[in-house]
Amino acid sequence: MRRGSLAISLLALAGLAALPGGSAAAGGGSGTHGPSPRGSAAACAGHTARDLRLTRLGGPRARLSWKAPASAAGVVGYRVQRSGRTVGQTTGASLVLRVTPGRVTTFSVQARGGVGHGKGCWSKLRSRVQFRPPGQVASLRVLSAAAGKVTLAWKPATRGDAPLAGYRVMRDAAVVGQTHARNYVLKLSSARAHRVTVSAVDTRGHLGPASRALEIGAGGQGSSGRSGGSGPSVPTGVSASEVSEAGATISWIASKADGARITGYRVYRDGKLVGQTPGVSLRLAHLTYPHTYAVAVSAIDADKRESARSATLSLSTTHTPPGGSPLIAAERVTDTSATLSWQPGTVTASTIAGYVLYKDGEPVGVVHGQSSTVTLASQRSYTFTVRAEDGAGYLSAPAPAVTVVTTHTPPSTPDGLSASELTSQSVHLSWAPSTPVSGNIVGYRVFRDGEPVGQTSEPAMTLGNLAPSTDYEITVVAVDSLGAISEPTSALHLHTAEPPPTTGTAQAFLLASTDQSFHDLEAHYQQIGVVYPTYFNCLSGGGVEGKDDPLVTGWANARKIEVMPRLNCQNQSREDQILNTPSWRTALIENLAALCREHGYEGIQVDFEDAPSSDRNAFTSFITALAEKLHSQGDKVSTIVTAKYYNVPTGRAAMYDDAALSAVSDYIFVLDWGLHWTTSAPGSMDEYAWFKKVAEYTATMPHLNKFVLGMPMYGIDWPNGGGSGNPGTPLEYEDIVALENVFGVLPEWDSTALSPHFTYKDGSGVRHDVWFSNQQSVGARMALAQSLGLKIGLWHLGAEDQTIWSLPQVAAG
């Protein structure tokens, strides 16, 4: 930014439209169809791309994909926009785009060519990719121990979407330190044990998952194994089949795990280990005839804990097992159970002691009878068989398997859907719980005008993001644990109320290039009287480029906020032609008046900068003619002027005749900052003594009630002492706070400049100076403006210090 002796520019207002403010693994969603302001829904039907989806790729990239329009004849390609700006064109059905992880962004696709296409019909998707934090720290261990301390070490964590800034160490759930290295000296209590974890942290302050906890005893010895549990249970139902002198198959019922998963079973013959298997059966070989063996089985888990051995099976190669294959059949199959029955087995020696029931090839229990009712999951297929077992533990051959397919009945329709606490933007819904036929009710899905808007586990939901004065149709369905959905409730018809109007007086800029700016307006609208969206730029010939955002404009209008879009015109050649070429000037005035009529604006804000002092009279004449045109149709003019503390004859501020402009303008917005800028040395952008001189000069102007004292709500980070060779980076307040947390610095308060600042060294050892605005600095300037009878203006809505809105000078009402 260039400066004259006392004049400043708007600190590159257009450039600040791209200030960083994003946040974060893959997101997706389906698109919504809708015409632009120039395309009606009826005209666009069948001509818009369908099923927009966003899929994250590697790095800061995502693929936006879609399906062709229902009426695809003649389509030759697609135009793609991100946040209202064209970012590509393709003949295919997808485009790879750069995205900011964590930032909600609106993507739009327009089918081009053919009848009905390219006429303002767009499909839109509002989505984001999730921000990836760092990965989990692995292999946390004690590297060495000494009196009262240990040295910890660990393997590096993988980075997420931001670079790693270091590792945070927690002892007994409390943070005890942070380091850039992969080791840390930890102090210990000599009288107690400690539980330690380590998490990676990135440069934006995001923490990765904590490492596996390391238990460190009072002597400094660490262990990170699984704790708790007594090991697996003893296997039961040990039995034998296919017995001969060549071998026998030993089977058993699976054990239950306790603290760690079961990894296998050990088989002992005559007290000696003869095999291990992950399954529930093992073939013993090389038996002799006649001979009797003692067989037992134990379970072992992932922590190497072995259960006690099972009851001993006496395995004799001379024993005759039960004969026959008892036939099995399924009866009374329901959603969640089946009753199985089978014919009796036969024995030549001993007696039938029971029947081993198998489900999907695995033994599930011994049944003392000829039928069993088993609990099953609904809408599933199972295979069952059965083997007779005699008193010595020998099994018959398996019966021919029977297949059971369970049914599944959806839950009942929720009853009694009703609404309460209906406002302009939300409503509380409630209904009677649904009854599951099988499974469990896991949630209730709410539909607005036929589209799902959310799911809740409780029979109630507060539905937000509603438009004021709008009709809605609400229905609810129940969802069970297998995904079955009930019939919908009868439709509940709602009509939302008018929103409470603003009672605020602050004037604020809204960046049309970021959704975050609009969300900030939503949060604080009752404190804002005039909003200046950055919609438009001037063109040659008096033309205007840019477009209205009907969401922002309509939302603000509904709340009685004056919407006066900013016309950005900071090209000296173009400004000169507009101010001194009658045809250009007339064309621009007519175009601006038409925009107000078309979109219902309360007026236009004009931001001309960089014009020479010789255009002073021409600029006043232009604003006078524009005001006359807009006033004739009931609209207003807001004129931006740069800061000065006397009537300067030269420099950038000389083109503004503040007194004359105030006679015809409805608002004069004074940009009271810029003493330091991105290519200057570091310092406060609006050092208080200088800010005060500008404010006091402004207060001497006629029509004082029209003057707005503008003040910034962001900061600048200068490396290496700043200057043109080391330009600073404009930062949102939330990014400045993230820097403080990452580098562990505390801001200092400059009692002369009345501004906060701090310094830090980055990972390369480069010194940075950061000056910024916060509640304390902005509050001092607001109090000055109020004492002088000046209105308050703010650049810009977005990620500023949110406590600014608690200041009494911007209180609602």
Side-chain angles (χ1 to χ4, degrees):
M1 184 182 80
R2 295 172 297 154
R3 303 177 60 248
S5 59
L6 292 170
I8 63 170
S9 79
L10 187 52
L11 189 54
L13 280 179
L16 280 178
L19 278 175
S23 50
S30 56
T32 59
H33 304 277
S36 74
R38 299 180 297 280
S40 69
C44 292
H47 300 298
T48 53
R50 300 172 295 154
D51 298 336
L52 270 64
R53 297 194 66 82
L54 189 68
T55 304
R56 181 156 193 186
L57 305 175
R61 302 182 306 131
R63 182 181 300 278
L64 182 67
S65 58
W66 56 86
K67 293 181 181 178
S71 300
V75 173
V76 298
Y78 300 89
R79 177 174 295 167
V80 179
Q81 291 187 348
R82 180 181 58 215
S83 299
R85 295 181 182 273
T86 299
V87 292
Q89 191 159 313
T90 178
T91 58
S94 68
L95 191 67
V96 175
L97 306 170
R98 288 187 66 85
V99 293
T100 301
R103 178 175 294 175
V104 177
T105 306
T106 299
F107 301 91
S108 306
V109 177
Q110 181 189 48
R112 306 289 292 173
V115 177
H117 302 295
K119 305 297 183 181
C121 301
W122 295 82
S123 295
K124 295 186 177 182
L125 170 67
R126 181 179 168 87
S127 189
R128 71 177 178 182
V129 294
Q130 296 294 327
F131 191 95
R132 284 196 295 246
Q136 186 178 31
V137 171
S139 299
L140 176 61
R141 63 196 184 279
V142 174
L143 195 61
S144 63
K149 62 183 180 181
V150 294
T151 299
L152 304 173
W154 55 86
K155 291 183 178 180
T158 57
R159 65 164 282 174
D161 284 319
L164 287 178
Y167 297 89
R168 189 165 296 171
V169 181
M170 297 188 72
R171 181 184 61 207
D172 302 328
V175 176
V176 293
Q178 188 164 314
T179 177
H180 294 286
R182 295 198 303 275
N183 53 71
Y184 186 83
V185 177
L186 179 68
K187 293 182 179 180
L188 303 175
S189 167
S190 60
R192 59 185 291 254
H194 297 281
R195 182 179 177 87
V196 180
T197 59
V198 176
S199 301
V201 60
D202 65 22
T203 55
R204 295 182 63 86
H206 296 97
L207 280 177
S211 67
R212 190 174 179 181
L214 180 66
E215 305 287 346
I216 302 179
Q221 296 301 313
S223 63
S224 57
R226 198 185 315 268
S227 61
S230 57
S233 65
V234 178
T236 59
V238 179
S239 56
S241 59
E242 295 84 39
V243 180
S244 69
E245 65 273 18
T249 298
I250 307 300
S251 304
W252 54 89
I253 306 298
S255 298
K256 293 182 179 180
D258 185 15
R261 65 183 178 86
I262 293 175
T263 58
Y265 296 87
R266 293 176 175 174
V267 178
Y268 294 85
R269 184 180 66 195
D270 295 335
K272 295 182 179 180
L273 178 65
V274 293
Q276 184 168 319
T277 177
V280 289
S281 66
L282 183 72
R283 181 70 179 173
L284 293 183
H286 308 300
L287 304 181
T288 59
Y289 180 88
H291 197 86
T292 300
Y293 300 91
V295 178
V297 180
S298 67
I300 188 167
D301 67 15
D303 283 344
K304 308 301 182 184
R305 294 177 298 182
E306 186 175 0
S307 73
R309 298 178 192 179
S310 67
T312 300
L313 170 69
S314 180
L315 174 64
S316 173
T317 54
T318 63
H319 186 84
T320 302
S325 299
L327 299 178
I328 186 173
E331 305 172 351
R332 297 189 296 279
V333 178
T334 70
D335 283 10
T336 57
S337 68
T339 299
L340 305 167
S341 62
W342 48 87
Q343 294 177 343
T346 59
V347 290
T348 57
S350 188
T351 59
I352 296 293
Y355 298 87
V356 180
L357 183 64
Y358 293 77
K359 181 176 71 176
D360 296 332
E362 298 290 332
V364 293
V366 177
V367 180
H368 301 286
Q370 292 175 238
S371 68
S372 177
T373 298
V374 290
T375 300
L376 306 173
S378 64
Q379 211 166 9
R380 290 274 302 276
S381 176
Y382 300 90
T383 300
F384 290 93
T385 189
V386 68
R387 305 175 84 167
E389 180 180 17
D390 66 17
Y394 289 73
L395 299 175
S396 71
V402 62
T403 299
V404 172
V405 179
T406 54
T407 57
H408 188 72
T409 304
S412 65
T413 301
D415 192 21
L417 176 60
S418 62
S420 61
E421 302 173 27
L422 180 63
T423 70
S424 61
Q425 296 179 278
S426 65
V427 63
H428 183 74
L429 305 170
S430 59
W431 53 88
S434 176
T435 302
V437 178
S438 57
N440 302 304
I441 299 296
V442 296
Y444 298 90
R445 197 166 296 164
V446 179
F447 292 77
R448 183 182 66 202
D449 296 333
E451 296 292 331
V453 292
Q455 185 164 315
T456 174
S457 59
E458 300 297 327
M461 176 187 281
T462 297
L463 192 60
N465 297 319
L466 304 179
S469 304
T470 303
D471 292 314
Y472 292 101
E473 183 178 277
I474 308 296
T475 55
V476 177
V477 299
V479 183
D480 70 16
S481 52
L482 283 181
I485 298 173
S486 74
E487 289 295 318
T489 61
S490 298
L492 176 65
H493 296 277
L494 305 174
H495 183 82
T496 52
E498 291 286 344
T502 182
T503 57
T505 59
Q507 300 192 8
F509 285 87
L510 181 144
L511 301 186
S513 60
T514 171
D515 293 337
Q516 190 174 31
S517 202
F518 175 60
H519 296 328
D520 202 31
L521 174 65
E522 290 180 302
H524 306 295
Y525 85 88
Q526 289 190 321
Q527 296 167 261
I528 298 169
V530 181
V531 65
Y532 298 114
T534 57
Y535 287 163
F536 303 115
N537 297 296
C538 65
L539 295 175
S540 300
V544 177
E545 72 171 351
K547 67 175 185 178
D548 173 72
D549 186 334
L551 171 63
V552 173
T553 301
W555 194 93
N557 281 337
R559 288 152 181 82
K560 311 305 179 187
I561 300 171
E562 293 184 15
V563 180
M564 300 179 67
R566 166 176 169 257
L567 175 72
N568 177 44
C569 196
Q570 299 187 49
N571 179 289
Q572 191 175 77
S573 173
R574 197 168 293 165
E575 288 178 299
D576 180 69
Q577 293 288 332
I578 291 171
L579 296 178
N580 297 296
T581 304
S583 61
W584 282 35
R585 187 175 83 166
T586 300
L588 180 57
I589 290 173
E590 290 298 328
N591 284 332
L592 295 176
L595 286 171
C596 289
R597 294 192 300 271
E598 180 182 357
H599 300 296
Y601 301 144
E602 277 69 31
I604 292 290
Q605 184 186 66
V606 177
D607 183 11
F608 274 44
E609 297 186 48
D610 207 28
S613 58
S614 58
D615 280 336
R616 180 183 178 101
N617 292 335
F619 181 69
T620 301
S621 176
F622 167 69
I623 294 297
T624 301
L626 176 62
E628 181 179 354
K629 178 65 177 180
L630 294 184
H631 289 163
S632 70
Q633 60 185 41
D635 296 318
K636 298 178 179 180
V637 175
S638 173
T639 304
I640 284 180
V641 300
T642 56
K644 55 178 176 283
Y645 51 82
Y646 68 94
N647 192 14
V648 296
T650 59
R652 287 167 61 93
M655 70 172 287
Y656 306 109
D657 186 344
D658 294 3
L661 292 171
S662 70
V664 295
S665 300
D666 297 277
Y667 302 116
I668 301 292
F669 198 107
V670 182
L671 305 177
D672 199 357
W673 71 91
L675 186 62
H676 293 88
W677 60 100
T678 54
T679 54
S680 75
S684 171
M685 294 177 291
D686 55 350
E687 189 171 313
Y688 188 74
W690 177 84
F691 181 94
K692 185 171 183 288
K693 286 198 293 186
V694 174
E696 289 174 342
Y697 171 73
T698 301
T700 67
M701 291 292 105
H703 310 288
L704 182 63
N705 64 320
K706 296 183 180 182
F707 281 83
V708 184
L709 197 62
M711 50 201 74
M713 298 194 295
Y714 66 102
I716 301 178
D717 179 344
W718 288 273
N720 273 332
S724 59
N726 299 286
T729 301
L731 295 179
E732 299 278 16
Y733 177 80
E734 68 175 20
D735 295 315
I736 292 170
V737 172
L739 276 179
E740 295 173 9
N741 292 333
V742 168
F743 293 100
V745 295
L746 292 175
E748 298 179 13
W749 177 254
D750 190 301
S751 58
T752 301
L754 297 193
S755 296
H757 66 102
F758 62 86
T759 62
Y760 70 94
K761 286 188 178 180
D762 62 24
S764 300
V766 176
R767 175 190 168 97
H768 290 248
D769 291 273
V770 182
W771 289 78
F772 60 101
S773 298
N774 64 3
Q775 183 201 52
Q776 187 177 1
S777 64
V778 173
R781 288 150 179 82
M782 283 185 179
L784 175 63
Q786 187 179 64
S787 69
L788 295 173
L790 300 170
K791 291 182 170 63
I792 291 170
L794 300 169
W795 176 273
H796 59 83
L797 296 174
E800 72 280 358
D801 181 353
Q802 292 297 302
T803 62
I804 287 173
W805 297 103
S806 65
L807 292 168
Q809 291 81 12
V810 287

